[in-house]
Structure formats: structure tokens, C-alpha cells
Amino acid sequence: MTTFVITVPGTFTSAIADSERAVLERKLAPQHTEVSESEGVNLLTLNEDGTFAIRLEVEAADRYEAKLDATRLVSAALREAGIAEADAPLAPPVVTGIDSDL
């Protein structure tokens, strides 16, 4: 298995409350570990125009599975934070880092 750092971009179509942001970051925190932290990568970047990028780590056999897993994790965290899918459409995920023992 390989650890992939995946960036999932999106846009909040309405303002996000501090409480929603806190829940979102708390739900995704377990996926932001040593690879990201050692590189100084932020879990969530929120821009003034409502665009955002979530960077998290997933263990997967390949890039395709890593992107699918990351999107599922982000979608689930958004729901748990009370943010509807229509209020935070996601763009295609991108592999932004790889840590492998190969």
C-alpha cells in the first residue's frame, strides 16, 4: 500500500459557519498525518471567494483508488458537518504527494 496526499478542491456556494468548519476539520484530522504535517501542508485552505482545498492522506493500492477514497471521505465529512452537497460542490481530486516504500 502507498500513502497518497490528495487535494480535493471545491466551492462553498454560501458562507460556512465557524462551527461547520470546526466539525469538518475534526472529522478529517485523522487523514492529515505525518506526511502532510512534515511538508507543512494545511488540511483545509478556505479562500475569500468561497473556494477551498482539502488535503488529506489515504492509503491505497493506486492513484485511482486514492482519489475515490479521498472524495468519499470529504463528502462524508461535509455531510456530518451539516453542509449539503449542493452547497459545496467538489472538483476532481488531484494527487499532490506520494509516500511509498517501493
Side-chain angles (χ1 to χ4, degrees), residues 22-99:
V23 170
L24 183 60
E25 288 178 329
R26 186 173 59 250
K27 295 293 181 186
L28 293 172
Q31 300 303 129
H32 190 256
T33 59
E34 62 190 61
V35 175
S36 296
E37 291 172 359
S38 69
E39 295 297 321
V41 175
N42 293 329
L43 173 63
L44 172 64
T45 301
L46 181 56
N47 301 308
E48 290 181 20
D49 63 356
T51 59
F52 64 88
I54 296 173
R55 294 166 198 86
L56 46 100
E57 295 171 36
V58 294
E59 293 278 329
D62 58 37
R63 291 170 182 256
Y64 177 77
E65 287 300 320
K67 290 177 184 181
L68 287 177
D69 289 348
T71 301
R72 281 191 284 260
L73 288 165
V74 170
S75 294
L78 288 165
R79 280 192 304 276
E80 290 181 42
I83 302 168
E85 189 174 325
D87 293 335
L90 301 176
V94 178
V95 174
T96 52
I98 299 173
D99 183 30

